Amino acid sequence: MNDFEEYIRQGEPQKKEKGYAWQTAIGLQAVDDLKPSEYLIQTARQHIEGDITIEEAKQLIDSYYQSKTVRANIEDRTEEADKVSARIAEILSEKTFTFSPVEYITIHRRLFQGIYKFAGKVRDYNITKKEWVLKGETVLYASADSIRETLDFDFMQEKNFSYKDLNINDAIIHIAKFISGIWQIHAFGEGNTRTTAVFAIKYLRTFGFDISNEAFANHSWYFRNALVRANYNNLSKGIYATTEYIEAFFRNLILSEHNELKNRVMLVQESSVQGVQSANTTKEISPKCNICTLNCTLEEMAVLNFLREQPKATQKEIAAHIGKSERTVKTITVNLTEKGIIERKNGKRNGFWEVKTNNLNS
């Protein structure tokens, strides 16, 4: 996934944002063992450079596949990979989002319209899927009769949940539980993991995070297998559902930790002593991030991530970024200062914020 590294590491902010969107969009195709074409890569570069709009990029891809010659020489699902990649890049570039089951279903429709006949439609039949990580077994997905009600319930529970004053560890555990829960419903016949990933990125941004998406771009297959392991029980073989793997993924995504994301460690092994890990289990995790964030809230983490990128940001700019009032931002910066995580340097007018490193973790 180095096709757009030059833009991400050295490019202008707008090119960096587009580069991340395309890198993530292409990386997510790996969940279904799909690989976009070189034409898609070239088109993406044109968009990143500003030569064409995202709408023009999508039109170029559509026109490319209208050629019978192209259709005859390209594997069927490469067309899917290209079109869905462009659509994911478009959605990730948009600043709009509504937290609701309708938004979730709409994302599926936008990604797969013209590719699947059931795009944007909740499945009306039951499904099973053989999983490599389960050695051919399947997760028990929601029954067709209960999908919409289950979706509505999960979204309502999350909407009513308060992250206020919740430390970042517990917040990540809760997010892992919610995301793995809506994935387990498997509302659609195909495309559930890509839809869930796009939704998760958009949702996490509402907390004020500038999600780099690197974990999704480079470890989308791990993401899917982690969701599988979060929803599979086989008590007769001593195998229990565990969110530890999806938590590690989100810790990398949110805290910029460097937990090793290896698919082979998730492969189920029969054991009579394998422990249970769930979203309600307290688990010690060695922090690998650059700053001591174990007692930070999601709002505080959003501020910290922003100050790392913009140390000279004003409280007004911080407030606009995380979607909170300036009074709230002032409270957050005071709390972070008291915790010794940030320090104001060179005074109020011409100063900047220094994010402290934790000597124990550096």
Side-chain angles (χ1 to χ4, degrees):
M1 289 305 303
N2 297 318
D3 295 298
F4 313 112
E5 206 66 27
E6 64 195 85
Y7 302 112
I8 293 171
R9 299 200 180 280
Q10 301 174 353
E12 304 162 7
Q14 195 171 40
K15 290 183 178 180
K16 179 179 179 180
E17 183 177 347
K18 290 178 181 178
Y20 268 131
W22 279 105
Q23 189 184 58
T24 302
I26 291 170
L28 281 173
Q29 305 315 307
V31 301
D32 283 318
D33 199 25
L34 304 182
K35 185 177 180 180
S37 69
E38 283 300 317
Y39 183 77
L40 184 279
I41 304 296
Q42 296 168 13
T43 304
R45 283 181 170 276
Q46 287 183 275
H47 173 244
I48 295 170
E49 291 285 358
D51 297 332
I52 58 175
T53 65
I54 187 63
E55 189 60 40
E56 288 171 333
K58 289 168 56 186
Q59 290 173 359
L60 284 173
I61 296 298
D62 288 344
S63 298
Y64 179 66
Y65 283 101
Q66 287 174 359
S67 165
K68 291 183 179 180
T69 303
V70 170
R71 283 183 175 275
N73 289 288
I74 292 192
E75 295 180 13
D76 290 342
R77 299 202 72 188
T78 303
E79 178 177 356
E80 175 184 338
D82 284 1
K83 289 184 176 180
V84 175
S85 292
R87 294 168 186 181
I88 289 176
E90 178 183 41
I91 294 173
L92 293 183
S93 299
E94 296 171 349
K95 305 302 181 183
T96 58
F97 178 76
T98 302
F99 182 81
S100 71
V102 173
E103 179 86 358
Y104 185 63
I105 294 170
T106 298
I107 288 174
H108 186 270
R109 176 181 57 77
R110 291 183 63 185
L111 294 185
F112 300 107
Q113 194 165 36
I115 297 171
Y116 299 146
K117 292 181 179 179
F118 51 79
K121 296 180 181 179
V122 172
R123 62 180 167 85
D124 56 3
Y125 53 91
N126 293 329
I127 59 173
T128 59
K129 292 188 176 184
K130 293 182 179 180
E131 302 287 353
W132 168 83
V133 75
L134 302 181
K135 295 184 176 179
E137 296 296 320
T138 183
V139 169
L140 295 179
Y141 301 113
S143 67
D145 294 336
S146 65
I147 290 175
R148 190 53 199 256
E149 291 80 1
T150 308
L151 265 181
D152 289 343
F153 177 81
D154 281 10
F155 272 81
M156 183 58 67
Q157 290 288 100
E158 178 67 9
K159 189 172 185 179
N160 291 334
F161 183 81
S162 175
Y163 285 92
K164 184 176 174 59
D165 300 326
L166 192 67
N167 71 59
I168 194 68
N169 282 324
D170 292 338
I172 288 175
I173 291 171
H174 182 83
I175 289 169
K177 179 182 178 182
F178 169 65
I179 296 299
S180 64
I182 61 172
W183 178 86
Q184 182 272 333
I185 295 170
H186 246 58
F188 317 105
E190 293 288 346
N192 289 279
T193 304
R194 283 173 283 179
T195 300
T196 301
V198 172
F199 180 87
I201 293 169
K202 301 282 283 187
Y203 180 42
L204 287 172
R205 284 179 179 173
T206 68
F207 292 102
F209 290 113
D210 274 336
I211 301 298
S212 71
N213 304 342
E214 186 175 350
F216 282 110
N218 298 325
H219 300 285
S220 62
W221 181 237
Y222 177 98
F223 176 67
R224 189 186 195 287
N225 286 330
L227 291 171
V228 170
R229 286 303 312 273
N231 290 286
Y232 178 74
N233 287 290
N234 191 326
L235 305 188
S236 66
K237 295 182 179 180
I239 301 169
Y240 300 90
T242 173
T243 60
E244 62 180 309
Y245 303 115
I246 195 65
E247 287 170 31
F249 181 90
F250 280 121
R251 291 183 73 85
N252 283 10
L253 192 72
I254 295 173
L255 299 179
S256 298
E257 289 186 357
H258 301 287
N259 296 297
E260 194 173 41
L261 306 181
K262 297 292 186 182
N263 286 284
R264 63 176 179 270
V265 304
M266 290 185 283
L267 192 62
V268 293
Q269 302 293 333
E270 295 182 21
S271 172
S272 58
V273 295
Q274 187 168 355
V276 179
Q277 289 289 344
S278 71
N280 295 318
T281 302
T282 301
K283 176 182 154 195
E284 289 189 9
I285 302 177
S286 299
K288 299 179 182 179
C289 48
N290 293 325
I291 53 177
C292 183
T293 58
L294 297 183
N295 294 317
C296 290
T297 64
L298 280 177
E299 288 180 349
E300 290 171 339
M301 279 303 305
V303 170
L304 286 172
N305 286 340
F306 186 58
L307 290 181
R308 281 202 208 109
E309 297 289 330
Q310 303 290 337
K312 293 184 178 181
T314 64
Q315 290 189 342
K316 183 176 182 180
E317 290 169 337
I318 299 170
H321 178 74
I322 70 170
K324 301 292 180 180
S325 68
E326 290 185 52
R327 177 176 293 183
T328 298
V329 168
K330 184 175 182 179
T331 300
I332 291 172
T333 54
V334 168
N335 289 341
L336 290 173
T337 301
E338 290 176 350
K339 291 177 182 179
I341 297 175
I342 62 173
E343 182 180 350
R344 186 69 180 176
K345 298 283 190 176
N346 295 344
K348 185 176 182 180
R349 176 168 295 185
N350 299 312
F352 62 93
W353 292 103
E354 178 183 336
V355 178
K356 300 282 192 176
T357 57
N358 186 331
N359 292 331
L360 295 176
N361 300 326
S362 58

